[in-house]
Amino acid sequence: MQDEEERQLADVALRTANSIFLARQRAEQELIRTKEALEAKTEALAHALAETEASLRERDRARAEAEAARRAAQDANEAKGRFVNMISHELRTPLGAIGGYAALLDEGIQGELSEGQREYIARIRHNQTHIVRLVNELLDLAKIESGQFQMQLAPMPVQGVLDSVRTMIEPQVLEGKLQLVVQSCEPTLCLHADSERIKQIVLNLLSNAVKFTPPGGAVRITTEATTETVRLRVQDTGVGIPADRLEAVFQPFFQVEASQTRGGGGTGLGLAISRELARAMGGDLTVESVVSHGSTFTLSVPRAVDNPCERPSE
Ligand code: ADP
Protein backbone atom coordinates (compact mmCIF):
# COMPACT_ATOMS: atom_id res chain seq x y z
CA MET A 1 0.00 0.00 0.00
CA GLN A 2 2.76 2.38 0.97
CA ASP A 3 4.58 1.33 -2.16
CA GLU A 4 1.57 2.19 -4.24
CA GLU A 5 1.35 5.70 -2.66
CA GLU A 6 5.04 6.25 -3.17
CA ARG A 7 4.75 5.18 -6.80
CA GLN A 8 1.83 7.56 -7.35
CA LEU A 9 3.70 10.39 -5.64
CA ALA A 10 6.74 9.72 -7.80
CA ASP A 11 4.50 9.67 -10.84
CA VAL A 12 2.98 13.08 -9.93
CA ALA A 13 6.43 14.49 -9.24
CA LEU A 14 7.65 13.21 -12.60
CA ARG A 15 4.67 14.72 -14.47
CA THR A 16 5.09 18.01 -12.64
CA ALA A 17 8.79 18.08 -13.44
CA ASN A 18 7.96 17.24 -17.03
CA SER A 19 5.43 20.04 -17.42
CA ILE A 20 7.82 22.50 -15.71
CA PHE A 21 10.49 21.43 -18.18
CA LEU A 22 8.11 21.89 -21.15
CA ALA A 23 6.91 25.29 -19.86
CA ARG A 24 10.50 26.40 -19.45
CA GLN A 25 11.34 25.19 -22.94
CA ARG A 26 8.37 27.19 -24.37
CA ALA A 27 9.36 30.28 -22.37
CA GLU A 28 12.92 29.98 -23.67
CA GLN A 29 11.69 29.70 -27.27
CA GLU A 30 9.36 32.69 -26.73
CA LEU A 31 12.32 34.63 -25.33
CA ILE A 32 14.46 33.80 -28.37
CA ARG A 33 11.65 34.93 -30.75
CA THR A 34 11.16 38.19 -28.79
CA LYS A 35 14.93 38.80 -28.82
CA GLU A 36 15.08 38.20 -32.58
CA ALA A 37 12.12 40.54 -33.18
CA LEU A 38 13.75 43.19 -31.01
CA GLU A 39 17.03 42.84 -32.88
CA ALA A 40 15.20 43.22 -36.22
CA LYS A 41 13.40 46.34 -34.94
CA THR A 42 16.65 47.80 -33.60
CA GLU A 43 18.27 47.22 -36.97
CA ALA A 44 15.33 48.86 -38.81
CA LEU A 45 15.46 51.82 -36.41
CA ALA A 46 19.22 52.20 -36.90
CA HIS A 47 18.65 52.14 -40.65
CA ALA A 48 15.88 54.74 -40.44
CA LEU A 49 18.06 56.89 -38.18
CA ALA A 50 20.94 56.71 -40.66
CA GLU A 51 18.57 57.70 -43.49
CA THR A 52 17.17 60.63 -41.46
CA GLU A 53 20.70 61.80 -40.63
CA ALA A 54 21.65 61.61 -44.32
CA SER A 55 18.57 63.60 -45.42
CA LEU A 56 19.22 66.19 -42.66
CA ARG A 57 22.81 66.52 -43.87
CA GLU A 58 21.49 66.87 -47.47
CA ARG A 59 18.99 69.53 -46.34
CA ASP A 60 21.71 71.47 -44.48
CA ARG A 61 23.96 71.26 -47.53
CA ALA A 62 21.16 72.51 -49.84
CA ARG A 63 20.38 75.32 -47.37
CA ALA A 64 24.04 76.34 -47.21
CA GLU A 65 24.23 76.29 -51.02
CA ALA A 66 21.05 78.39 -51.36
CA GLU A 67 22.35 80.87 -48.77
CA ALA A 68 25.73 81.10 -50.55
CA ALA A 69 23.94 81.68 -53.89
CA ARG A 70 21.69 84.33 -52.31
CA ARG A 71 24.70 86.10 -50.81
CA ALA A 72 26.61 85.91 -54.10
CA ALA A 73 23.61 87.39 -55.96
CA GLN A 74 23.26 90.13 -53.35
CA ASP A 75 27.00 90.92 -53.52
CA ALA A 76 26.83 90.99 -57.33
CA ASN A 77 23.79 93.28 -57.22
CA GLU A 78 25.46 95.62 -54.75
CA ALA A 79 28.67 95.63 -56.80
CA LYS A 80 26.61 96.37 -59.92
CA GLY A 81 24.80 99.15 -58.07
CA ARG A 82 28.13 100.68 -56.95
CA PHE A 83 29.60 100.32 -60.43
CA VAL A 84 26.65 101.91 -62.20
CA ASN A 85 26.51 104.69 -59.61
CA MET A 86 30.18 105.41 -60.04
CA ILE A 87 30.04 105.25 -63.84
CA SER A 88 26.93 107.42 -63.93
CA HIS A 89 28.48 110.12 -61.82
CA GLU A 90 31.79 109.93 -63.68
CA LEU A 91 29.92 110.24 -66.98
CA ARG A 92 27.31 112.81 -66.02
CA THR A 93 29.76 115.60 -65.17
CA PRO A 94 31.72 115.53 -68.46
CA LEU A 95 28.48 114.94 -70.39
CA GLY A 96 27.00 118.03 -68.78
CA ALA A 97 30.07 119.99 -69.84
CA ILE A 98 29.85 118.68 -73.43
CA GLY A 99 26.18 119.69 -73.62
CA GLY A 100 26.86 123.08 -72.05
CA TYR A 101 29.77 124.00 -74.36
CA ALA A 102 27.87 122.76 -77.43
CA ALA A 103 24.94 124.99 -76.43
CA LEU A 104 27.28 127.99 -75.98
CA LEU A 105 28.83 127.43 -79.43
CA ASP A 106 25.33 127.07 -80.90
CA GLU A 107 24.37 130.44 -79.42
CA GLY A 108 27.30 132.03 -81.25
CA ILE A 109 29.20 132.97 -78.06
CA GLN A 110 32.50 132.31 -79.91
CA GLY A 111 31.37 133.93 -83.14
CA GLU A 112 28.90 133.12 -85.89
CA LEU A 113 28.83 129.48 -87.05
CA SER A 114 28.71 128.27 -90.61
CA GLU A 115 25.84 126.02 -91.71
CA GLY A 116 28.17 122.98 -91.57
CA GLN A 117 29.37 123.86 -88.07
CA ARG A 118 25.76 124.26 -86.89
CA GLU A 119 24.92 120.84 -88.23
CA TYR A 120 27.87 119.24 -86.45
CA ILE A 121 26.94 120.97 -83.20
CA ALA A 122 23.38 119.68 -83.59
CA ARG A 123 24.75 116.14 -83.94
CA ILE A 124 26.97 116.57 -80.87
CA ARG A 125 23.96 117.77 -78.86
CA HIS A 126 21.74 114.95 -80.15
CA ASN A 127 24.28 112.30 -79.19
CA GLN A 128 24.99 113.97 -75.87
CA THR A 129 21.24 113.85 -75.04
CA HIS A 130 21.15 110.20 -76.04
CA ILE A 131 24.05 109.25 -73.74
CA VAL A 132 22.59 111.26 -70.84
CA ARG A 133 19.31 109.38 -71.30
CA LEU A 134 21.12 106.04 -71.46
CA VAL A 135 23.09 106.80 -68.29
CA ASN A 136 19.93 107.91 -66.45
CA GLU A 137 18.04 104.81 -67.55
CA LEU A 138 20.91 102.50 -66.60
CA LEU A 139 20.97 104.12 -63.19
CA ASP A 140 17.21 103.67 -62.78
CA LEU A 141 17.40 100.02 -63.82
CA ALA A 142 20.31 99.29 -61.48
CA LYS A 143 18.46 100.96 -58.59
CA ILE A 144 15.31 98.96 -59.29
CA GLU A 145 17.23 95.68 -59.57
CA SER A 146 19.18 96.26 -56.36
CA GLY A 147 15.99 97.28 -54.49
CA GLN A 148 17.26 100.82 -53.81
CA PHE A 149 14.43 102.56 -55.60
CA GLN A 150 12.45 104.96 -53.40
CA MET A 151 8.77 105.45 -54.30
CA GLN A 152 6.74 108.39 -53.01
CA LEU A 153 3.24 106.92 -53.21
CA ALA A 154 0.40 109.40 -52.75
CA PRO A 155 -3.07 110.13 -54.17
CA MET A 156 -2.95 112.20 -57.34
CA PRO A 157 -5.51 113.30 -59.94
CA VAL A 158 -5.32 111.46 -63.28
CA GLN A 159 -6.26 114.62 -65.20
CA GLY A 160 -3.13 116.31 -63.80
CA VAL A 161 -0.97 113.54 -65.30
CA LEU A 162 -2.72 113.84 -68.67
CA ASP A 163 -2.31 117.64 -68.77
CA SER A 164 1.33 117.52 -67.88
CA VAL A 165 2.35 114.76 -70.34
CA ARG A 166 0.35 116.40 -73.14
CA THR A 167 2.41 119.59 -72.77
CA MET A 168 5.63 117.61 -72.76
CA ILE A 169 4.89 115.44 -75.81
CA GLU A 170 3.27 118.10 -78.06
CA PRO A 171 6.53 119.28 -79.73
CA GLN A 172 7.40 115.68 -80.75
CA VAL A 173 3.83 115.13 -82.02
CA LEU A 174 4.07 118.25 -84.18
CA GLU A 175 7.49 117.26 -85.47
CA GLY A 176 6.20 113.78 -86.36
CA LYS A 177 3.15 115.28 -88.16
CA LEU A 178 0.80 113.22 -86.03
CA GLN A 179 -2.57 113.79 -84.45
CA LEU A 180 -2.73 113.62 -80.64
CA VAL A 181 -5.99 112.87 -78.84
CA VAL A 182 -6.03 113.06 -75.05
CA GLN A 183 -9.38 111.91 -73.74
CA SER A 184 -10.31 113.86 -70.60
CA CYS A 185 -11.34 111.91 -67.53
CA GLU A 186 -13.48 112.54 -64.45
CA PRO A 187 -11.76 115.39 -62.56
CA THR A 188 -12.21 113.43 -59.32
CA LEU A 189 -10.51 110.28 -60.59
CA CYS A 190 -7.33 109.64 -58.58
CA LEU A 191 -4.39 107.26 -58.68
CA HIS A 192 -2.34 106.03 -55.75
CA ALA A 193 1.14 106.31 -57.20
CA ASP A 194 4.43 108.19 -57.40
CA SER A 195 3.55 111.16 -59.61
CA GLU A 196 7.01 111.60 -61.16
CA ARG A 197 7.25 107.91 -62.02
CA ILE A 198 3.74 107.81 -63.49
CA LYS A 199 4.64 110.74 -65.75
CA GLN A 200 7.93 109.04 -66.67
CA ILE A 201 6.06 105.86 -67.75
CA VAL A 202 3.30 107.66 -69.71
CA LEU A 203 5.81 109.94 -71.38
CA ASN A 204 7.92 106.93 -72.36
CA LEU A 205 4.85 105.24 -73.87
CA LEU A 206 3.89 108.43 -75.69
CA SER A 207 7.34 109.05 -77.11
CA ASN A 208 7.50 105.43 -78.32
CA ALA A 209 4.07 105.86 -79.92
CA VAL A 210 5.30 109.00 -81.69
CA LYS A 211 8.59 107.36 -82.66
CA PHE A 212 6.96 104.27 -84.18
CA THR A 213 4.04 105.96 -85.98
CA PRO A 214 4.57 107.25 -89.52
CA PRO A 215 3.50 110.85 -90.35
CA GLY A 216 -0.26 111.26 -90.70
CA GLY A 217 -0.98 108.69 -87.98
CA ALA A 218 -2.60 109.22 -84.60
CA VAL A 219 -1.74 108.76 -80.94
CA ARG A 220 -4.47 108.57 -78.29
CA ILE A 221 -4.55 108.38 -74.51
CA THR A 222 -7.71 107.06 -72.90
CA THR A 223 -8.60 106.33 -69.29
CA GLU A 224 -10.75 103.60 -67.81
CA ALA A 225 -11.43 103.01 -64.12
CA THR A 226 -12.81 100.18 -62.00
CA THR A 227 -13.36 100.43 -58.25
CA GLU A 228 -9.77 99.39 -57.59
CA THR A 229 -7.75 100.15 -60.70
CA VAL A 230 -7.17 102.97 -63.16
CA ARG A 231 -6.04 101.99 -66.66
CA LEU A 232 -4.27 104.48 -68.88
CA ARG A 233 -4.06 103.35 -72.52
CA VAL A 234 -1.60 104.77 -75.00
CA GLN A 235 -2.71 103.75 -78.47
CA ASP A 236 -1.02 104.43 -81.81
CA THR A 237 -1.62 103.67 -85.48
CA GLY A 238 2.05 102.86 -86.08
CA VAL A 239 4.22 99.98 -87.25
CA GLY A 240 3.04 97.57 -84.53
CA ILE A 241 4.97 94.76 -82.85
CA PRO A 242 5.05 91.14 -84.07
CA ALA A 243 3.10 88.76 -81.79
CA ASP A 244 6.23 86.78 -80.87
CA ARG A 245 8.01 89.94 -79.68
CA LEU A 246 5.28 91.29 -77.42
CA GLU A 247 6.94 90.09 -74.21
CA ALA A 248 10.50 90.65 -75.42
CA VAL A 249 9.96 94.42 -75.71
CA PHE A 250 9.92 94.53 -71.89
CA GLN A 251 13.41 92.97 -71.72
CA PRO A 252 16.29 95.42 -71.18
CA PHE A 253 18.05 96.48 -74.41
CA PHE A 254 15.56 94.68 -76.66
CA GLN A 255 14.53 96.53 -79.81
CA VAL A 256 12.35 94.94 -82.47
CA GLU A 257 14.41 96.62 -85.16
CA ALA A 258 17.16 99.07 -84.25
CA SER A 259 16.83 100.82 -87.62
CA GLN A 260 13.20 101.73 -86.83
CA THR A 261 14.23 104.01 -83.97
CA ARG A 262 14.37 107.36 -85.71
CA GLY A 263 17.73 109.04 -85.43
CA GLY A 264 19.08 106.22 -83.25
CA GLY A 265 17.24 107.75 -80.30
CA GLY A 266 16.36 104.52 -78.52
CA THR A 267 18.13 102.69 -75.71
CA GLY A 268 15.85 99.66 -75.41
CA LEU A 269 15.53 100.32 -71.67
CA GLY A 270 12.39 102.46 -71.46
CA LEU A 271 9.78 99.69 -71.41
CA ALA A 272 11.82 97.44 -69.07
CA ILE A 273 12.05 100.31 -66.58
CA SER A 274 8.44 101.34 -67.08
CA ARG A 275 7.13 97.84 -66.35
CA GLU A 276 9.33 97.50 -63.24
CA LEU A 277 8.15 100.90 -62.00
CA ALA A 278 4.48 100.05 -62.66
CA ARG A 279 4.84 96.78 -60.76
CA ALA A 280 6.68 98.48 -57.89
CA MET A 281 3.60 100.74 -57.52
CA GLY A 282 1.29 97.70 -57.37
CA GLY A 283 0.28 97.97 -61.03
CA ASP A 284 1.41 96.55 -64.35
CA LEU A 285 2.23 97.43 -67.93
CA THR A 286 1.04 95.27 -70.84
CA VAL A 287 0.80 95.54 -74.60
CA GLU A 288 -1.42 94.47 -77.46
CA SER A 289 -0.40 95.08 -81.03
CA VAL A 290 -1.06 94.27 -84.67
CA VAL A 291 1.78 94.71 -87.17
CA SER A 292 1.13 97.63 -89.56
CA HIS A 293 -1.98 98.67 -87.60
CA GLY A 294 -0.62 99.89 -84.30
CA SER A 295 -0.03 99.15 -80.64
CA THR A 296 -1.87 99.73 -77.38
CA PHE A 297 0.11 99.89 -74.13
CA THR A 298 -2.00 99.64 -70.97
CA LEU A 299 -0.67 100.99 -67.69
CA SER A 300 -2.71 99.77 -64.69
CA VAL A 301 -2.26 101.52 -61.35
CA PRO A 302 -4.16 101.21 -58.06
CA ARG A 303 -6.99 103.73 -57.80
CA ALA A 304 -6.92 106.02 -54.77
CA VAL A 305 -10.00 105.15 -52.71
CA ASP A 306 -12.51 107.74 -51.43
CA ASN A 307 -11.25 110.30 -53.96
CA PRO A 308 -8.81 111.79 -51.44
CA CYS A 309 -7.36 114.14 -54.06
CA GLU A 310 -10.77 115.64 -54.83
CA ARG A 311 -10.75 119.34 -54.00
CA PRO A 312 -13.80 120.54 -52.03
CA SER A 313 -15.87 123.01 -54.09
CA GLU A 314 -15.43 126.57 -52.96
P1 ADP B 1 13.49 102.29 -77.06
O1 ADP B 1 12.21 102.92 -77.47
O2 ADP B 1 14.42 103.23 -76.39
O3 ADP B 1 14.12 101.46 -78.13
P2 ADP B 1 11.83 100.77 -75.27
O4 ADP B 1 12.19 99.83 -74.16
O5 ADP B 1 10.96 101.92 -74.92
O6 ADP B 1 13.19 101.24 -75.90
O7 ADP B 1 11.16 99.92 -76.41
C1 ADP B 1 11.75 98.70 -76.83
C2 ADP B 1 11.33 98.34 -78.23
O8 ADP B 1 9.92 98.04 -78.27
C3 ADP B 1 11.49 99.47 -79.24
O9 ADP B 1 12.81 99.57 -79.72
C4 ADP B 1 10.52 99.02 -80.33
O10 ADP B 1 11.10 98.03 -81.12
C5 ADP B 1 9.36 98.39 -79.52
N1 ADP B 1 8.29 99.37 -79.28
C6 ADP B 1 8.04 100.09 -78.17
N2 ADP B 1 6.94 100.85 -78.28
C7 ADP B 1 6.47 100.63 -79.53
C8 ADP B 1 5.34 101.13 -80.28
N3 ADP B 1 4.49 102.01 -79.76
N4 ADP B 1 5.17 100.66 -81.54
C9 ADP B 1 6.03 99.76 -82.08
N5 ADP B 1 7.10 99.25 -81.43
C10 ADP B 1 7.32 99.67 -80.18
Side-chain angles (χ1 to χ4, degrees):
M1 188 63 191
Q2 201 183 353
D3 276 357
E4 178 59 18
E5 270 177 16
E6 276 175 6
R7 200 187 54 76
Q8 278 178 355
L9 269 175
D11 203 28
V12 167
L14 189 65
R15 272 205 304 272
T16 309
N18 221 348
S19 29
I20 287 171
F21 176 74
L22 282 175
R24 195 179 141 188
Q25 222 176 20
R26 271 200 303 276
E28 273 174 6
Q29 278 165 0
E30 186 59 30
L31 208 65
I32 288 168
R33 272 199 300 278
T34 310
K35 186 174 157 249
E36 281 170 358
L38 262 174
E39 277 171 0
K41 270 192 187 147
T42 310
E43 200 175 316
L45 270 173
H47 188 67
L49 191 66
E51 272 184 0
T52 310
E53 276 173 359
S55 73
L56 279 176
R57 271 198 303 277
E58 178 57 28
R59 194 197 60 186
D60 287 349
R61 197 184 57 76
R63 262 195 199 157
E65 267 179 17
E67 174 60 17
R70 194 191 60 75
R71 226 174 295 135
Q74 192 179 343
D75 287 352
N77 246 342
E78 283 171 7
K80 187 171 72 178
R82 280 195 303 276
F83 176 75
V84 175
N85 246 325
M86 190 265 286
I87 291 291
S88 303
H89 293 131
E90 293 298 316
L91 286 177
R92 271 182 176 166
T93 314
L95 276 171
I98 292 170
Y101 284 116
L104 288 177
L105 284 176
D106 209 14
E107 283 168 22
I109 299 280
Q110 292 292 328
E112 267 311 299
L113 298 182
S114 69
E115 216 24 60
Q117 286 168 331
R118 267 194 197 289
E119 197 194 315
Y120 281 11
I121 293 288
R123 285 191 202 172
I124 291 172
R125 294 183 78 178
H126 175 82
N127 282 288
Q128 186 264 358
T129 314
H130 176 68
I131 303 175
V132 168
R133 188 177 146 205
L134 181 63
V135 167
N136 287 339
E137 289 187 342
L138 273 175
L139 196 59
D140 273 359
L141 199 65
K143 275 191 197 157
I144 293 170
E145 285 180 354
S146 57
Q148 292 169 8
F149 211 89
Q150 299 290 324
M151 288 279 182
Q152 311 287 331
L153 300 179
M156 53 184 287
V158 178
Q159 190 59 49
V161 178
L162 298 178
D163 292 342
S164 126
V165 292
R166 178 210 281 268
T167 317
M168 290 160 99
I169 200 68
E170 256 164 3
Q172 288 179 53
V173 171
L174 279 176
E175 200 186 329
K177 298 188 174 52
L178 301 170
Q179 188 200 356
L180 175 69
V181 180
V182 182
Q183 187 197 56
S184 296
C185 71
E186 277 288 306
T188 53
L189 184 61
C190 290
L191 294 173
H192 189 73
D194 181 313
S195 70
E196 286 313 306
R197 298 306 169 184
I198 284 289
K199 285 182 206 158
Q200 177 181 347
I201 298 171
V202 180
L203 207 57
N204 177 237
L205 298 179
L206 282 172
S207 61
N208 277 348
V210 170
K211 201 160 56 174
F212 297 105
T213 304
V219 175
R220 287 171 70 86
I221 315 186
T222 55
T223 311
E224 180 194 291
T226 66
T227 44
E228 290 178 351
T229 309
V230 176
R231 292 196 180 87
L232 286 168
R233 291 208 166 84
V234 176
Q235 208 174 352
D236 65 59
T237 56
V239 295
I241 302 167
D244 61 347
R245 305 288 164 89
L246 286 176
E247 268 311 298
V249 296
F250 295 102
Q251 298 300 319
F253 300 109
F254 181 87
Q255 296 182 313
V256 175
E257 211 176 309
S259 61
Q260 277 180 349
T261 58
R262 280 189 205 143
T267 61
L269 286 172
L271 288 178
I273 293 172
S274 296
R275 178 176 264 187
E276 292 290 345
L277 290 176
R279 290 183 174 173
M281 289 187 277
D284 205 355
L285 178 62
T286 54
V287 64
E288 288 166 82
S289 186
V290 178
V291 172
S292 305
H293 282 81
S295 312
T296 303
F297 283 85
T298 304
L299 169 66
S300 321
V301 197
R303 182 175 178 170
V305 282
D306 306 329
N307 288 334
C309 59
E310 181 182 3
R311 290 208 171 76
S313 48
E314 281 151 22

